[in-house]
Amino acid sequence: MGHTSSKLLACQPSSFATPYTPSAGGFVADKEQETWRSYNYVVVGGGTAGCVLASRLSEDPRNTVLLVEAGASHEKSFFSRIPMAFLRLFRSPFDWNYSTTPQAALGDFDSWEQQGATGWGYASLRKYFIKAEKCIPSPSQPVDPAEHGSDGPLINTHVPIAPVCSKFIEAAEALGVPITNDLNTSKGTLGAAPFVATVDEKHERSSTATAYLSDDVLKRPNLTVAVSVMTEKILFARTSDAADKEVILCAGVVGSPQILQLSGIGDSTHLAEQGIPLVRDLPAVGRNMLDHVSSGALMFRARAGWTWDYLTQSPLRAAAALAKWIFSGTGPMSSLAFQVGLFVRTDDERLPFGPPLAIQDRTSGPRAPDLEFVLVPFAVVDQGLGYPPRGTYGITAGSILLKPVSSGTIMIKSSDPYDHPVIDANYLADESDMNVLVKSTRFLLHLARTPPLSDVLDLRPSTTKGDMFWPGDADPDKITDEEVREFVRDYGQSTWHPTSSVRMGNDSKTSAVDPNLRVHSVEALRVVDASVFPDQVSGHPCAVVVAMAERAADLIQEEA
């Protein structure tokens, strides 16, 4: 069963699995499986959830676990280790490079239980957030120890922020946004604060790959990790006793519905159009996708000395900052690109959101935000892949719609697993979503003109559309809603937080997995990643996926 060593395997699948050429259908005769190399658990996808599950399930030496990951090992990526280098991974071999179809509109937990996700309320998940985390408080940013873990795998701490970031927070407070030391508590996320970073004692990024699949874990003889191996489809037996234990899909919001559809699980009409034999008719697979949408990068000129633009404009100073991180683990490279966050509600009448606009409240309660603002302490061009003119100083702010009304789809366009599926996010199809982003943009324009932030910016009266600092230079009381809508349609984008494409629930007509994350009416197959979220969350989904995977590991082992 399995292998005697679990070092990362980047080789032919025949080295850890039995070669087999499937027929056109998705079923395998029982006799075919009698000589197959087998595992108790096969985890498909070595991302946020998959690494957690592979680690937890292999803690029991009686279990044999195979983790299959399509990408190469993170150990080969220097940039994946540097906290500030997040943007450098975009459009690289470590990026799937998915894109949506052209978008016509563009140029929490307790509510989950109310939607049928029994057992996934905050009371159930809280202990898993704490179990996953080891929080290292800093003198300048104390945290409540009752709200955080002290011995979990993921290392969380505060990191340095640029001088302008403190002014951003102080200006928000002046407008009426409460300041908090900790956005991650049971009190909710409303307020403004520096982000907590997952950075370990070596001052490198702490991911589930580094934290849960440590060298000690990889030495387990009952764990096999295969990288650079694409999972094309799942094969099924007609009898339930053929499965050794389980296959667990952790392929993400795009990959999980794609693999299910390729395997014959999904909308029967759509699968027939692609020539895929039906295994189970589940129309919710690939539907109900929800994403956090940004109005686009809004840039403001800044005065010299307050930002970190030298990291992108001066190769020598950037090299010096990199050397400082390599040798001491300190300096700007030990920080985040997105450094501070503001979480607010658009119905807060104290805040300058402009004239009333019709907005549908989809929040889970009065303490839950529907809007987030983030700040990058330098001018960002083309998602960090481009560079502003030399000598330009600026900040980049973004507003993020947290609870969209509009939902999209992820559907395969052929039976070829190497064809990217059609991702139609359907952004801003509902007028309420656009109205939230119009309000958010106007708020940012007011914030930039509020001391002490305005004291360190270099705002200039301008109505020049198309300039990199438009509409940042626009007067927040004179710019029209239609001008803001035009900006959002031209520059709006995903914030890479999609969820809910294989959503959890009790009704197989409107959901794809049950509250135990088992695919409806399919034995021994679960999905554990953000695709099963019943609804979008009012914050970043990564920590939620970790907690979900921790709880899923307990559920799986309890049922074994």
Side-chain angles (χ1 to χ4, degrees):
M1 300 286 287
H3 283 262
T4 58
S5 172
S6 62
K7 66 180 180 180
L8 299 178
L9 302 173
C11 48
Q12 292 297 321
S14 58
S15 65
F16 58 85
T18 303
Y20 174 74
T21 302
S23 61
F27 290 97
V28 180
D30 292 348
K31 65 178 182 179
E32 292 283 355
Q33 306 167 53
E34 294 174 358
T35 60
W36 284 7
R37 184 174 295 165
S38 63
Y39 301 82
N40 296 116
Y41 298 103
V42 177
V43 181
V44 178
T48 304
C51 292
V52 177
L53 282 164
S55 177
R56 292 304 189 196
L57 293 175
S58 63
E59 286 177 343
D60 185 342
R62 296 171 297 179
N63 293 334
T64 53
V65 180
L66 170 65
L67 173 61
V68 184
E69 164 58 33
S73 169
H74 65 282
E75 296 174 351
K76 297 181 179 180
S77 173
F78 179 60
F79 288 133
S80 74
R81 296 165 49 198
I82 306 173
M84 178 60 80
F86 163 70
L87 297 175
R88 300 296 297 176
L89 298 176
F90 289 3
R91 303 179 201 174
S92 75
F94 294 90
D95 185 353
W96 279 99
N97 290 305
Y98 289 128
S99 60
T100 69
T101 60
Q103 298 296 290
L106 293 176
D108 259 275
F109 306 116
D110 289 338
S111 70
W112 282 13
E113 287 203 300
Q114 296 167 9
Q115 296 179 59
T118 306
W120 293 95
Y122 184 72
S124 298
L125 277 178
R126 184 176 183 273
K127 68 176 182 180
Y128 293 105
F129 282 110
I130 293 174
K131 179 181 181 181
E133 177 189 43
K134 179 179 180 181
C135 189
I136 304 176
S138 64
S140 62
Q141 293 289 332
V143 297
D144 184 351
E147 296 281 359
H148 295 278
S150 59
D151 58 359
L154 276 174
I155 312 296
N156 288 339
T157 188
H158 283 94
V159 292
I161 60 175
V164 70
C165 293
S166 297
K167 304 302 180 184
F168 189 83
I169 293 175
E170 292 170 24
E173 184 180 30
L175 288 178
V177 178
I179 305 303
T180 178
N181 285 325
D182 192 354
L183 292 167
N184 304 300
T185 73
S186 57
K187 297 177 183 177
T189 56
L190 286 176
F195 284 123
V196 171
T198 52
V199 176
D200 64 20
E201 296 95 334
K202 297 182 294 183
H203 308 286
E204 297 184 5
R205 288 182 63 210
S206 176
S207 67
T208 57
T210 62
Y212 282 85
L213 296 182
S214 62
D215 289 342
D216 288 343
V217 172
L218 290 173
K219 290 177 183 177
R220 294 173 185 166
N222 61 329
L223 172 62
T224 301
V225 179
V227 297
S228 301
V229 177
M230 181 77 166
T231 297
E232 297 181 350
K233 64 187 297 187
I234 300 167
L235 302 179
F236 300 92
R238 295 187 182 276
T239 55
S240 60
D241 59 352
D244 199 12
K245 280 198 178 171
E246 295 193 10
V247 171
I248 307 163
L249 271 184
C250 303
V253 175
V254 175
S256 286
Q258 179 186 19
I259 292 172
L260 288 173
Q261 292 169 17
L262 290 168
S263 305
I265 299 176
D267 182 275
S268 57
T269 301
H270 179 68
L271 296 184
E273 291 171 351
Q274 310 308 318
I276 296 176
L278 182 67
V279 172
R280 190 68 66 204
D281 184 15
L282 290 177
V285 172
R287 292 194 168 90
N288 310 299
M289 190 199 81
L290 296 166
D291 195 6
H292 290 159
V293 189
S294 169
S295 60
L298 194 60
M299 285 187 280
F300 301 91
R301 291 183 185 86
R303 301 185 187 280
W306 291 92
T307 71
W308 285 355
D309 286 287
Y310 66 87
L311 293 175
T312 62
Q313 296 197 32
S314 171
L316 287 177
R317 296 187 70 185
L322 180 60
K324 187 174 184 179
W325 174 80
I326 291 173
F327 291 108
S328 69
T330 60
M333 291 298 180
S334 66
S335 186
L336 303 173
F338 301 90
Q339 296 190 351
V340 296
L342 279 63
F343 291 85
V344 300
R345 292 180 60 92
T346 50
D347 60 5
D348 188 338
E349 296 179 354
R350 300 171 301 169
L351 302 180
F353 286 124
L357 293 172
I359 289 176
Q360 183 177 333
D361 184 1
R362 293 198 66 250
T363 62
S364 55
R367 291 288 303 165
D370 59 355
L371 191 57
E372 176 187 3
F373 299 94
V374 296
L375 177 68
V376 178
F378 45 83
V380 177
V381 177
D382 190 20
Q383 300 181 4
L385 299 175
Y387 299 95
R390 185 174 293 276
T392 300
Y393 306 100
I395 62 172
T396 305
S399 57
I400 301 170
L401 167 66
L402 296 176
K403 301 294 287 186
V405 179
S406 311
S407 64
T409 59
I410 298 173
M411 295 290 179
I412 57 173
K413 59 184 176 183
S414 76
S415 60
D416 184 349
Y418 297 90
D419 273 353
H420 280 181
V422 177
I423 306 172
D424 182 1
N426 201 30
Y427 293 137
L428 308 182
D430 191 283
E431 183 182 16
S432 173
D433 294 346
M434 174 63 87
N435 287 345
V436 169
L437 293 182
V438 170
K439 282 178 167 285
S440 72
T441 303
R442 199 176 296 277
F443 174 89
L444 278 176
L445 296 179
H446 278 287
L447 181 65
R449 287 154 179 80
T450 303
L453 179 59
S454 59
D455 298 335
V456 302
L457 297 184
D458 182 20
L459 301 172
R460 305 174 187 179
S462 173
T463 57
T464 305
K465 297 179 182 179
D467 180 85
M468 66 182 294
F469 291 105
W470 170 266
D473 282 333
D475 186 328
D477 294 319
K478 294 182 179 179
I479 189 172
T480 67
D481 286 351
E482 185 51 41
E483 286 177 312
V484 177
R485 289 189 179 94
E486 182 181 353
F487 166 72
V488 174
R489 284 192 288 265
D490 287 345
Y491 297 100
Q493 65 178 74
S494 167
T495 53
W496 318 294
H497 295 166
T499 69
S500 310
S501 57
V502 189
R503 71 187 300 268
M504 182 193 329
N506 291 311
D507 187 347
S508 62
K509 295 180 181 179
T510 58
S511 64
V513 300
D514 68 19
N516 282 353
L517 310 182
R518 295 172 298 204
V519 176
H520 288 306
S521 302
V522 178
E523 294 282 346
L525 178 60
R526 295 188 208 238
V527 182
V528 184
D529 54 37
S531 71
V532 304
F533 286 14
D535 199 356
Q536 183 58 273
V537 292
S538 299
H540 299 192
C542 185
V544 183
V545 175
V546 176
M548 170 174 280
E550 286 276 15
R551 183 169 188 266
D554 280 357
L555 287 173
I556 292 166
Q557 293 179 97
E558 287 168 5
E559 295 178 12

